[in-house]
Amino acid sequence: MPIVHPADLWRETGRWQQIDAEMGRFKDRAERTGKRYDVPASRCFGGATAYKDLLATDELTAGDIGCITKLEELITGDTLAGELMEVEFKQFLYWKENGFPDKAVFDVFGSGLIRSREGAVLLGRQRSGNLNEGWVYLPGGFIDPRDADADGRIDIRASVLREVQEETGLGPDQLTVRDGFLVTTIGQQLSIAVDLISKDDAPSLRAQVMRALAGDSDCELDWVVTVTTPQDLANLKVPAYAETLLRHVLGASS
């Protein structure tokens, strides 16, 4: 399962200079140099084709599962596995803006499912000038080459926690990380979400993040909101993958 992994993005943010030009090269089906990620997984809820809840274990299974477009077929045993490859940002945009012409490729990214102590979910709106400006979604982003360990496996939790802190100001010491992963696929997008619990109630959590955004004009987000029921999504511009996951999570908790 090759995954689009833009490079120009890190040049624009300055990360390219921090990491170097190799950018943690990945291996695709053409045998170009690469790194693997494996996400431990086990069960699905309700037989839905677009959503699965994956229970974390300490066992990681390697092996190329090929180019497959259905989430069910991405899971072998207790593992969701795939290989990352690096592409230029302009290639990513062409692929995305032309309706994902290569169906063997997925846009895979981490998402932070941040919940208040009573279960409300925090969503952020991307600031004007960014790739997804105006969309309201779960904090997260592209998998960074820094997330690969010495064996080439990706630490999805570390990736999500870093992105969450960059976008909301919430550090790992302010959030409890639940076991498992929440994986959602819509078309060629595949979100791997980490369940994060705050000790604060919803109003306090939102106020804390809004203060952080007010003090950081370079942050990708310009506004956040908390939602408690699927009906709260009605007037928000939420991408399909996030709406699918949120309707499951909020519906189950309501």
Side-chain angles (χ1 to χ4, degrees):
M1 184 182 69
I3 298 161
V4 171
H5 194 84
D8 287 359
L9 179 66
W10 280 272
R11 293 193 183 96
E12 296 172 3
T13 61
R15 293 182 184 177
W16 182 273
Q17 290 77 14
Q18 297 172 15
I19 301 169
D20 77 31
E22 284 299 305
M23 289 298 294
R25 294 184 183 278
F26 300 113
K27 183 177 182 179
D28 63 10
R29 286 170 65 86
E31 298 302 313
R32 289 175 287 191
T33 305
K35 291 188 176 181
R36 167 176 299 282
Y37 78 89
D38 299 275
V39 177
S42 67
R43 64 180 187 275
C44 97
F45 287 87
T49 59
Y51 169 81
K52 287 187 181 294
D53 190 340
L54 307 182
L55 179 65
T57 70
D58 292 328
E59 298 298 323
L60 297 178
T61 304
D64 184 6
I65 59 173
C67 297
I68 305 171
T69 58
K70 294 183 179 179
L71 181 58
E72 288 82 355
E73 295 171 341
L74 300 178
I75 298 176
T76 302
D78 63 354
T79 300
L80 168 67
E83 293 186 356
L84 296 167
M85 70 177 180
E86 177 194 353
V87 301
E88 295 292 327
F89 192 48
K90 60 185 178 183
Q91 293 174 308
F92 171 79
L93 290 179
Y94 177 88
W95 173 73
K96 180 175 183 288
E97 293 174 2
N98 285 275
F100 310 105
D102 186 350
K103 302 302 182 184
V105 179
F106 286 80
D107 175 17
V108 176
F109 49 91
S111 300
L113 184 70
I114 305 170
R115 307 197 212 201
S116 67
R117 68 187 182 199
E118 71 271 36
V121 177
L122 183 78
L123 302 177
R125 182 178 65 196
Q126 192 163 100
R127 187 184 301 274
S128 177
N130 288 281
L131 179 63
N132 297 308
E133 64 178 71
W135 287 91
V136 178
Y137 63 100
L138 303 168
F142 292 112
I143 296 171
D144 194 301
R146 293 175 295 177
D147 301 322
D149 64 19
D151 295 325
R153 287 192 169 91
I154 300 297
D155 188 338
I156 299 295
R157 289 187 187 85
S159 175
V160 168
L161 287 170
R162 185 191 63 252
E163 292 287 341
V164 164
Q165 185 163 17
E166 290 177 359
E167 295 186 8
T168 69
L170 297 172
D173 58 331
Q174 298 170 283
L175 301 165
T176 299
V177 182
R178 284 186 172 175
D179 291 338
F181 301 92
L182 299 145
V183 173
T184 310
T185 182
I186 296 291
Q188 301 309 114
Q189 289 188 306
L190 198 158
S191 162
I192 303 176
V194 177
D195 208 352
L196 306 170
I197 311 300
S198 169
K199 60 179 175 49
D200 295 319
D201 60 22
S204 299
L205 176 62
R206 180 179 184 273
Q208 179 181 353
V209 176
M210 287 298 293
R211 287 194 297 270
L213 299 186
D216 184 3
S217 60
D218 294 327
C219 183
E220 291 184 18
L221 304 181
D222 63 4
W223 177 80
V224 293
V225 65
T226 56
V227 294
T228 57
T229 70
Q231 290 70 37
D232 293 338
L233 305 175
N235 296 318
L236 300 175
K237 185 181 178 182
V238 181
Y241 77 87
E243 183 174 353
T244 297
L245 173 58
L246 290 166
R247 287 192 179 280
H248 174 87
V249 171
L250 297 175
S253 60
S254 61

